[in-house]
Amino acid sequence: MVYNSLEEKYAAWSWELRKHAMEMHSELHNQIGSDLIQDVNAVNLTETFDKVYYPLQHEIEKYFKEDKDKDTLITWKANIHKRFRNLRSELIDGVAKKCRELISSNKHRFELDQRKTEYTAKLTKKSKALATDLKSQRLDDKKVTEEFDNLWGNWTADVAKAHIPKEAANVKHVVEATLQKQFENTPNILQKIKGVKENFEFNNEKHVSQSFWTYLTTSLKNVPNEIQQKVISSVNIYVTEKEHNKEDFHESFIYEILKVIEKTIREIECSTTKFQVTNEFQVDFSTHLCLNYVPRFQRMHETFNTRNNPLTYVKNQRDIYLKAFRNYYKGAKSVNIFVDFLCEHIKPGVLTAVNDKTSRQIADEMKNNNPAFNSNRSNLENHILKHLANKEDFSSFEEYIDNPKGYFKRFIKEKIENVCSDTGKQNIFHQKNLEILKSQILEASTAVTKEVEGKKGNASMWLDCFCKTAGKHMVINRYELRAIENEDIEDRQFLEDMMAKSLKEMMKDKKEADVETLKQKTTEYLFQQLQGCWAQCPFCTAICTNTIPNHDTEHSVQFHRCSALVGSYYENTNMFLVHFCTTAISSDKRFITYNPRKEIPYKTYRDAGEPFNRWSITPDGSEQHYWKWFICRFQVDWEEKKGYKFVGHGEIPDEWKTFTKESALEQLK
């Protein structure tokens, strides 16, 4: 109980630190996107971060000194401090990396921004001239629109002529060349690349190490498919992230994907211990997978080129410039034109900023108020186990046992979808954040107006100051506002009144939240906080309870599971092993490892090498009813999945059959 209370406290401290990292990243993202900063200084980043880190560290120290169980807590003090320091470093490095990537992307955007400014300046000049010529004709709105469309058509045609589109790369050729270079020492690599089919064909003789062939007809018959699915899942996460970041395809993607494939295969082999694929499998499957992603890579490349084509940009601005043209024609005050144009341009940034803040708030509320999320990873796992037991769906259990990381994320996503379906609560957050941002923009406008008035500045200076102030709260592209920087905004009071009126109208038009993005971001925030180590016990598949991914200490778990869950069996029989590793290691029993084949006493299980020697398994005999109930409830399904039977020495003990679902769930409290 003392340690559980400590873990709950640590979960709260670490969440506060992570929240600060998310908020800091959001502010830096806005500033970088608004061209306010061109570099991220690690020292300044750390100083800003430590304003929250050190008070929290003081809280931790106070807890260890003043809690009633301080004499017991001292056992874990050093570990907690180390974890907290490591988390600080991890979060700072993560924010810095994302900022550097965004800065790099902005530098590539500079040339496009210059061209956009040049094109839109010409359009503004032509619009004013045409509107002036038409004023005496008293045209109705339809005719005014027709005149603008003629101007628009001619202008976009000029832009199209002036812009030499970048020739799209042949992504397939790039991928093939990269694979050929990476696997140049592999015999017949060119034929392998050219011979890739849509569906991968797993060949036992070519793709499995010889010492494991005999086990492919029994408990390991599903392992090849499981390996492929896990690798595909890992690669898909990588590619999806690149798509979300709106990046252009680059050959470096292939090298990174090959590393992901190799890492995933090695992790699976270590956790399985009875299965090893050949290098030929890695080459064949890597080649197959990379080439099957070519259509997505090609779409990424074409979408990036389209998005960064000046012609695409100007076509998307038609309605904004039509509105400005109508104002010119009607002889509207320059301030009206200035404010209308400005507010139309900042609409997307407003909605994005509000959506980001709303997703952080929903994550915070769920972390603090949802029983599944308000503690650590072990608490979340217990809620997942309860959820699985109540569903009693074997395929869901399969997914959880075979791919716990994926199932954890899906569970979090489903909970978030339930919350987001409550549009009332979601809209309360969203509307409140809209109002806050509107107030911040108005405050910036008022402050900037006074500053520019004092300096006797013009519209260009006003825009510079406004973007600098409001750019902390949202992304504003100053280049896109060059079209109005020569407007007359001498009537300062009218400017402020128009800003207030236009922002009010803008909030009415753009009050819908981007629900899909909101759900995706909230899921990622909570998953990053609640994930930990994903290593599974080689004897029983129990998940390591350490809250630090890739920790350098031994893996451990409070409760282990029955060995049948990893597919263990008595050699040369069709009988499952039904013992628990926590009892086996205090017995004279032995287990068999492969490649090379050896018999190892359970008492000296570490002698088996990786991954056994990374685990700390104590002979405490503590066993839960949960997995015993699972085996009884899904006996036939598990026998079909693994190819062995609960018979003979592997017969299910009579006592297990008395355990009810209710008694299993009771132990999870």
Side-chain angles (χ1 to χ4, degrees):
M1 287 299 293
V2 176
Y3 183 74
N4 288 342
S5 297
L6 174 60
E7 278 291 337
E8 287 180 12
K9 294 292 288 184
Y10 180 79
W13 295 322
S14 61
W15 177 242
E16 286 301 313
L17 202 60
R18 191 176 296 277
K19 272 201 306 180
H20 180 61
M22 293 189 296
E23 289 162 6
M24 185 166 68
H25 173 256
S26 176
E27 185 173 331
L28 288 168
H29 178 274
N30 291 335
Q31 291 177 312
I32 293 167
S34 301
D35 284 323
L36 300 181
I37 56 176
Q38 283 74 45
D39 188 27
V40 173
N41 186 302
V43 174
N44 292 340
L45 203 61
T46 302
E47 285 177 358
T48 305
F49 202 85
D50 285 349
K51 291 175 183 177
V52 171
Y53 172 75
Y54 282 116
L56 285 170
Q57 194 179 49
H58 178 71
E59 267 190 53
I60 296 173
E61 190 63 33
K62 184 179 178 181
Y63 179 77
F64 279 105
K65 284 181 179 179
E66 299 180 5
D67 190 81
K68 61 183 178 64
D69 296 306
K70 60 184 179 182
D71 293 337
T72 306
L73 287 168
I74 194 68
T75 307
W76 304 293
K77 181 179 178 180
N79 177 262
I80 290 293
H81 277 299
K82 181 181 179 182
R83 284 164 62 182
F84 205 58
R85 283 196 305 272
N86 289 344
L87 178 62
R88 168 180 173 264
S89 299
E90 174 195 323
L91 293 174
I92 290 174
D93 290 345
V95 170
K97 181 174 182 288
K98 289 178 181 178
C99 288
R100 284 193 293 268
E101 289 172 352
L102 185 58
I103 288 168
S104 176
S105 176
N106 272 13
K107 288 178 180 177
H108 293 150
R109 196 191 68 189
F110 179 72
E111 183 183 346
L112 172 65
D113 284 338
Q114 286 186 311
R115 278 183 283 160
K116 288 193 299 189
T117 300
E118 178 187 337
Y119 295 145
T120 54
K122 290 180 180 177
L123 175 63
T124 301
K125 185 177 180 179
K126 289 181 178 181
S127 292
K128 286 182 176 181
L130 179 61
T132 301
D133 292 343
L134 295 174
K135 277 182 183 179
S136 60
Q137 298 184 28
R138 297 183 181 181
L139 305 176
D140 58 23
D141 280 350
K142 182 179 179 182
K143 188 63 179 174
V144 170
T145 302
E146 288 177 1
E147 291 288 346
F148 175 80
D149 283 340
N150 288 334
L151 170 67
W152 182 263
N154 292 331
W155 177 68
T156 52
D158 289 342
V159 172
K161 289 178 183 176
H163 174 67
I164 302 174
K166 181 181 177 182
E167 186 177 347
N170 187 321
V171 172
K172 185 178 181 182
H173 288 175
V174 174
V175 174
E176 288 179 339
T178 307
L179 289 170
Q180 188 175 357
K181 183 178 179 181
Q182 178 68 14
F183 299 123
E184 59 185 354
N185 295 325
T186 302
N188 304 316
I189 184 58
L190 189 57
Q191 288 85 342
K192 286 179 182 289
I193 291 171
K194 296 298 183 183
V196 165
K197 299 177 181 177
E198 185 176 351
N199 297 314
F200 184 73
E201 297 176 0
F202 191 92
N203 184 307
N204 289 347
E205 292 187 3
K206 289 197 306 180
H207 294 152
V208 183
S209 296
Q210 291 186 17
S211 54
F212 297 95
W213 284 2
T214 56
Y215 306 104
L216 283 172
T217 57
T218 53
S219 66
L220 301 180
K221 62 182 179 182
N222 295 317
V223 172
N225 185 57
E226 290 172 10
I227 287 180
Q228 292 172 59
Q229 292 306 313
K230 285 187 178 180
V231 170
I232 290 171
S233 176
S234 298
V235 173
N236 191 58
I237 289 171
Y238 172 85
V239 175
T240 301
E241 183 180 359
K242 294 296 183 184
E243 289 172 332
H244 283 160
N245 292 341
K246 300 177 181 179
E247 296 184 41
D248 189 10
F249 169 78
H250 191 271
E251 66 177 279
S252 62
F253 288 11
I254 304 304
Y255 291 111
E256 291 175 20
I257 286 172
L258 294 175
K259 288 179 183 177
V260 170
I261 293 172
E262 182 178 12
K263 182 173 181 285
T264 306
I265 290 173
R266 296 297 164 254
E267 287 174 350
I268 296 169
E269 287 181 336
C270 283
S271 64
T272 305
T273 73
K274 300 174 184 176
F275 192 87
Q276 186 174 336
V277 295
T278 59
N279 287 334
E280 187 169 3
F281 167 78
Q282 188 167 326
V283 172
D284 289 351
F285 194 54
S286 296
T287 302
H288 164 83
L289 208 52
C290 289
L291 286 169
N292 271 267
Y293 271 98
V294 162
R296 283 177 69 174
F297 293 148
Q298 191 72 48
R299 281 196 302 273
M300 284 173 65
H301 177 59
E302 292 169 359
T303 301
F304 180 86
N305 283 348
T306 300
R307 190 186 303 114
N308 289 277
N309 186 328
L311 190 60
T312 303
Y313 167 76
V314 297
K315 284 181 177 179
N316 289 335
Q317 303 299 305
R318 177 190 176 277
D319 291 345
I320 296 175
Y321 282 94
L322 171 59
K323 188 175 182 179
F325 178 75
R326 284 173 174 165
N327 282 332
Y328 292 138
Y329 173 75
K330 292 175 183 177
K333 284 188 175 184
S334 189
V335 170
N336 290 73
I337 297 169
F338 181 87
V339 172
D340 280 350
F341 193 94
L342 173 63
C343 288
E344 284 295 327
H345 265 80
I346 66 175
K347 274 183 184 181
V350 166
L351 193 59
T352 299
V354 167
N355 219 64
D356 287 348
K357 188 173 182 180
T358 301
S359 64
R360 295 197 303 273
Q361 288 175 327
I362 291 176
D364 189 40
E365 178 173 274
M366 293 186 71
K367 178 68 180 69
N368 292 324
N369 300 324
N370 190 300
F373 306 134
N374 65 5
S375 186
N376 58 9
R377 222 271 299 274
S378 294
N379 171 69
L380 174 58
E381 183 171 14
N382 280 345
H383 278 83
I384 288 176
L385 293 176
K386 292 173 187 176
H387 173 73
L388 288 167
N390 288 325
K391 281 179 68 175
E392 291 195 45
D393 173 55
F394 181 71
S395 62
S396 295
F397 271 105
E398 270 191 302
E399 183 183 352
Y400 167 75
I401 293 169
D402 293 339
N403 184 17
K405 184 176 181 179
Y407 194 85
F408 269 65
K409 196 163 192 175
R410 185 153 77 87
F411 178 82
I412 292 171
K413 185 178 180 182
E414 287 174 0
K415 291 291 184 183
I416 289 169
E417 286 177 344
N418 291 337
V419 171
C420 289
S421 65
D422 180 359
T423 54
K425 180 181 290 188
Q426 175 188 299
N427 284 336
I428 289 172
F429 281 130
H430 192 72
Q431 289 301 320
K432 183 178 179 180
N433 291 330
L434 270 174
E435 287 299 322
I436 291 171
L437 186 53
K438 182 183 82 171
S439 298
Q440 290 170 332
I441 293 171
L442 279 174
E443 286 173 11
S445 171
T446 301
V448 165
T449 299
K450 289 180 180 178
E451 180 183 351
V452 172
E453 190 171 21
K455 295 178 179 178
K456 301 188 183 305
N458 56 12
S460 180
M461 180 187 287
W462 192 98
L463 288 169
D464 288 340
C465 296
F466 177 78
C467 290
K468 184 176 181 180
T469 305
K472 298 173 184 176
H473 308 297
M474 56 183 288
V475 173
I476 306 176
N477 189 335
R478 174 65 177 86
Y479 279 96
E480 294 180 358
L481 301 173
R482 291 287 176 89
I484 56 171
E485 64 182 18
N486 294 317
E487 296 294 340
D488 179 6
I489 57 169
E490 288 296 320
D491 191 340
R492 311 298 190 192
Q493 185 57 51
F494 187 56
L495 172 63
E496 288 192 38
D497 293 342
M498 281 299 301
M499 282 294 292
K501 181 182 177 182
S502 294
L503 284 170
K504 186 176 180 180
E505 291 300 315
M506 185 173 75
M507 298 308 168
K508 289 180 182 178
D509 293 341
K510 292 283 183 181
K511 62 182 180 181
E512 294 296 323
D514 181 354
V515 180
E516 287 307 312
T517 301
L518 189 148
K519 287 190 291 189
Q520 182 259 326
K521 288 196 170 186
T522 306
T523 299
E524 197 57 39
Y525 291 149
L526 284 176
F527 181 74
Q528 289 300 322
Q529 170 65 15
L530 293 164
Q531 73 161 329
C533 178
W534 295 106
Q536 291 180 268
C537 175
F539 290 120
C540 67
T541 75
I543 307 166
C544 174
T545 53
N546 197 302
T547 57
I548 304 174
N550 305 314
H551 60 98
D552 56 6
T553 54
E554 291 184 328
H555 302 302
S556 63
V557 62
Q558 185 177 5
F559 295 104
H560 284 264
R561 306 170 182 175
C562 171
S563 292
L565 291 178
V566 82
S568 295
Y569 59 96
Y570 288 95
E571 192 174 34
N572 299 322
T573 75
N574 69 337
M575 298 182 292
F576 272 123
L577 281 173
V578 293
H579 64 226
F580 281 65
C581 48
T582 47
T583 54
I585 62 171
S586 59
S587 71
D588 293 326
K589 295 178 180 177
R590 294 170 174 263
F591 65 96
I592 299 172
T593 62
Y594 304 87
N595 198 31
R597 187 184 187 282
K598 289 193 296 184
E599 285 192 16
I600 308 289
Y602 274 97
K603 286 180 179 178
T604 57
Y605 68 89
R606 294 175 191 270
D607 293 343
E610 289 275 3
F612 300 93
N613 58 5
R614 285 289 316 275
W615 278 84
S616 173
I617 305 171
T618 54
D620 55 15
S622 56
E623 301 170 3
Q624 287 183 310
H625 291 179
Y626 190 92
W627 293 106
K628 297 175 182 179
W629 165 80
F630 166 80
I631 284 173
C632 295
R633 170 65 180 81
F634 295 104
Q635 176 183 346
V636 175
D637 300 278
W638 199 251
E639 287 176 339
E640 289 180 0
K641 176 179 173 66
K642 292 296 185 181
Y644 291 94
K645 299 287 185 181
F646 291 103
V647 296
H649 294 304
E651 186 176 0
I652 298 173
D654 290 337
E655 182 190 17
W656 293 16
K657 298 172 184 176
T658 66
F659 298 147
T660 63
K661 180 169 73 174
E662 290 68 30
S663 70
L665 293 177
E666 184 66 27
Q667 289 185 334
L668 295 177
K669 292 182 179 178

